[in-house]
Amino acid sequence: MPRFAANLTMLFNEVPFLDRFGAAAASGFKAVEFLFPYEYDKAVLKDTIAANDLSVVLHNLPAGNWAGGERGIASDPGRVAEFRDGVTRAIDYATALGCPRVNCLAGIVRPENAPQARETLVENLRFAAPRLKNAGIELLLEPVNTRDIPGFFVNRTRQALDIIDEVASDNLKLQFDIYHAQVMEGDLARTIEAEFDRIGHLQLADNPGRHEPGTGEINYAYLFRRIDELGYEGWIGCEYKPRAATEAGLGWLAPYLDKKPASTTHNKESIA
């Protein structure tokens, strides 16, 4: 049966970030993921995760000035040193939080800069992959659709896999976000089947709207069965924008979760 991780950057936004761990656990999740942990103290995060009996399954490498509109720096030839510092920082956090994988966001690139951007991305991934492997952490590369993020450099499955082939590391896999793939290329089940051995992590949202499964065009009941039949043993990250309150939209998830007792610990202290 598929296992689902709550993406705490997207879900449970009704409460401050540190309270979302408790909210996820109370809703039956056993695992969580999030975009970035870096503005929070590692010890506080670790204690919050442990108090709610959760596992962290994914976070991203540092990706530049997110609030300012940046969506990754891995393809920027002028920021290689910053990227490499970010790898060290990601290892520090992932190790402290027991997180087994981190995702690389390639960033936004102008078309005329694409050749140099690709070369930079390949070299940065070649730098990161063995260092993360030595720390016991898997590196992922994620295609992101260009409707939500115009100009995002890595935006299709085949493009990402070609880059992964060029990097030629056994510690670099594909992060396959079902929503992004549906927007850009469709043919979801066939792609998952064809590239199954190269997928290190799955994420989901429905289309259009990037809301919870069952609100759009994707046949998630079929995809979940097929993913299960293929023997996927990882987690599927719920990286969607709830159409209303998070808990009100979790009906689709009920068959896959064991509810925790209502006594699950909630951390009421937030760090801004």
Side-chain angles (χ1 to χ4, degrees), residues 106-149:
I108 297 169
V109 174
R110 294 174 63 87
E112 62 269 24
N113 295 331
Q116 189 177 17
R118 181 189 172 99
E119 181 180 345
T120 301
L121 177 59
V122 168
E123 289 306 312
N124 276 334
L125 293 171
R126 284 177 175 163
F127 172 87
R131 286 159 179 82
L132 287 160
K133 183 178 181 179
N134 288 341
I137 302 164
E138 186 174 67
L139 177 61
L140 306 174
L141 179 65
E142 179 184 17
V144 173
N145 83 77
T146 54
R147 183 176 67 194
D148 288 359
I149 306 180

Side-chain angles (χ1 to χ4, degrees), residues 34-52:
F34 32 79
L35 291 185
F36 309 107
Y38 308 111
E39 65 179 291
Y40 301 96
D41 182 85
K42 294 189 299 293
V44 172
L45 286 172
K46 182 177 179 180
D47 289 347
T48 304
I49 292 160
N52 290 289

Side-chain angles (χ1 to χ4, degrees), residues 70-120:
E70 291 184 331
R71 293 297 181 262
I73 59 172
S75 301
D76 188 337
R79 300 173 76 174
V80 171
E82 182 182 350
F83 176 87
R84 294 186 175 193
D85 288 344
V87 171
T88 299
R89 195 175 185 198
I91 290 172
D92 187 30
Y93 268 82
T95 300
L97 304 182
C99 180
R101 61 190 62 81
V102 298
N103 179 44
C104 177
L105 293 170
I108 297 169
V109 174
R110 294 174 63 87
E112 62 269 24
N113 295 331
Q116 189 177 17
R118 181 189 172 99
E119 181 180 345
T120 301

Side-chain angles (χ1 to χ4, degrees), residues 7 12 30 41 43 76 79 101 106 117 137 150 229 241 252:
N7 186 296
F12 302 104
K30 308 294 185 185
D41 182 85
D76 188 337
R79 300 173 76 174
R101 61 190 62 81
I137 302 164
E229 290 166 356
K241 297 182 289 187
W252 70 271

